[in-house]
Amino acid sequence: MSRLISDTDCELWYDRAEELGVDYIKMPYQIDGKEYFYDLGKNTDIKEFYKLVRQGKMPSTFALNENDYIEFIEPYFKNGEDLFYVSFSHAMSGTFNQLDKAIAKLKETYPERKITVFDTRCISVSAGLIVEEAAKLKKQGLNDEELYKKLLEFRDKIGTYFIVDDLHHLKRGGRLSAIAAFAGTALGLKPMLTYSDEGGLTVVQKITGRKKSISVMTQRAIEEMIEVDQHRIYVLDADCKEEGDKIRDSILEAYPNADVHRLPVGPVIGAHAGPGTLAIIFTAEKRAIPLKEGL
């Protein structure tokens, strides 16, 4: 049997990862001249992070290098363990080039060992839902090949909607062009976003005004939710807890028995999305269909 691992871009809270028995690679970020590795909230002061951002301290993220991955993976290989890695979207980072190099180098020393990498084609708790499903399926005794096939099916059922308060954070992080960010800000747009089939960001619906965007996003998510008694629903906020709580309450009003969990947007994702980001993650019949013309 392989060991199940993920990375902290899955944004499950640390106690949930421990409960599932999932080890995780800590992903890096910088703010105010200091470098950190996100630990799923175990020792991270997320409130302080957003305080600094609101004060004008601009955070950044960067890729792990080959040696970082080797240091994480090699102890498992030395112990005779294979790995099944449920990762965040490969379309969002060049870090996976370094992972490939690390795996190739380790295979020279441990040719009998295997690491299976599953690209969730999403990030944050959208990837975390897939981690949860992987842990459940592994407990049922599925081997790696069976698990991979099941996760391919489940990946297409991840519903994700989110809005950001300031499009310039996405522009600064390379997730949105400067022209699109300027145009959206000038028009007062709060576009509802999701993930493309390839794992990038894409616009689902153009909405004017924050209050309306929150209402439309919440209602659309509620209408599309399925299997609310089988999978968790997550509501995330980036330093806008009251708005996130209202979204949670609306979901519970529609589905009183739903298992709804509130989490903060961590600093790695928050470095790109910015304060004021809100997200709803759930299971759906299929992923949302993006607007063809984008923002």
Side-chain angles (χ1 to χ4, degrees):
M1 290 285 288
S2 63
R3 287 286 296 273
L4 180 62
I5 65 169
S6 187
D7 52 64
T8 55
D9 280 357
C10 77
E11 294 212 293
L12 292 175
W13 205 240
Y14 72 91
D15 57 358
R16 179 58 169 164
E18 291 172 1
E19 176 189 351
L20 295 171
V22 178
D23 293 342
Y24 47 87
I25 302 167
K26 296 178 182 179
M27 303 306 292
Y29 66 99
Q30 293 178 328
I31 188 167
D32 200 21
K34 297 179 182 178
E35 180 180 306
Y36 302 89
F37 289 83
Y38 186 45
D39 59 0
L40 297 181
K42 194 166 189 176
N43 297 295
T44 302
D45 190 340
I46 295 178
K47 286 186 177 293
E48 178 65 16
F49 170 80
Y50 285 113
K51 179 182 175 181
L52 290 172
V53 176
R54 290 188 185 279
Q55 290 174 350
K57 307 290 187 181
M58 290 295 101
S60 61
T61 61
F62 52 96
L64 294 175
N65 61 44
E66 179 181 333
N67 287 333
D68 292 328
Y69 283 112
I70 288 174
E71 288 178 7
F72 181 86
I73 296 170
E74 188 166 24
Y76 296 98
F77 281 10
K78 275 187 176 180
N79 199 39
E81 295 178 291
D82 292 335
L83 295 175
F84 193 103
Y85 175 21
V86 180
S87 77
F88 74 97
S89 174
H90 292 203
M92 291 189 179
S93 176
T95 196
F96 296 103
N97 294 326
Q98 299 301 311
L99 174 63
D100 291 342
K101 291 178 182 178
I103 293 171
K105 190 168 184 178
L106 285 167
K107 291 288 283 184
E108 294 174 3
T109 307
Y110 308 95
E112 73 284 3
R113 296 275 62 83
K114 177 183 177 184
I115 177 169
T116 301
V117 182
F118 183 85
D119 180 357
T120 61
R121 296 188 181 177
C122 49
I123 202 168
S124 187
V125 184
S126 305
L129 269 186
I130 299 176
V131 173
E132 290 183 331
E133 183 71 3
K136 181 181 76 174
L137 293 171
K138 279 189 73 67
K139 282 187 177 181
Q140 295 175 5
L142 273 67
N143 62 37
D144 288 356
E145 291 75 18
E146 293 168 333
L147 178 59
Y148 195 95
K149 290 178 181 178
K150 285 289 186 180
L151 292 184
L152 282 176
E153 298 172 6
F154 189 68
R155 183 174 68 185
D156 290 335
K157 295 174 64 176
I158 301 299
T160 303
Y161 291 128
F162 66 99
I163 56 173
V164 299
D165 195 41
D166 187 344
L167 291 170
H168 287 294
H169 285 283
L170 289 177
K171 185 267 292 183
R172 186 175 52 83
R175 301 297 189 267
L176 189 70
S177 73
I179 294 174
F182 175 79
T185 300
L187 294 170
L189 289 178
K190 302 294 182 183
M192 188 162 65
L193 303 164
T194 190
Y195 306 112
S196 67
D197 289 340
E198 295 75 28
L201 298 185
T202 188
V203 177
V204 177
Q205 189 171 344
K206 299 176 185 177
I207 309 165
T208 303
R210 182 170 176 87
K211 186 175 181 180
K212 184 178 179 181
S213 69
I214 294 172
S215 175
V216 170
M217 177 178 71
T218 303
Q219 189 57 39
R220 183 160 174 173
I222 287 171
E223 291 172 355
E224 295 179 7
M225 289 175 183
I226 64 169
E227 301 174 350
V228 295
D229 57 337
Q230 299 178 40
H231 302 283
R232 289 186 171 195
I233 298 166
Y234 284 96
V235 178
L236 277 67
D237 76 274
D239 199 40
C240 49
K241 185 176 182 301
E242 288 186 6
E243 291 173 316
D245 287 346
K246 288 180 181 178
I247 293 173
R248 174 202 58 202
D249 294 344
S250 295
I251 294 170
L252 287 172
E253 184 177 347
Y255 300 106
N257 297 319
D259 190 12
V260 185
H261 291 258
R262 291 281 285 107
L263 286 176
V265 176
V268 177
I269 310 303
H272 295 282
T277 298
L278 289 161
I280 309 173
I281 296 106
F282 54 97
T283 49
E285 291 289 349
K286 58 183 178 180
R287 287 194 179 200
I289 301 173
L291 288 176
K292 290 183 179 179
E293 67 270 26
L295 184 61

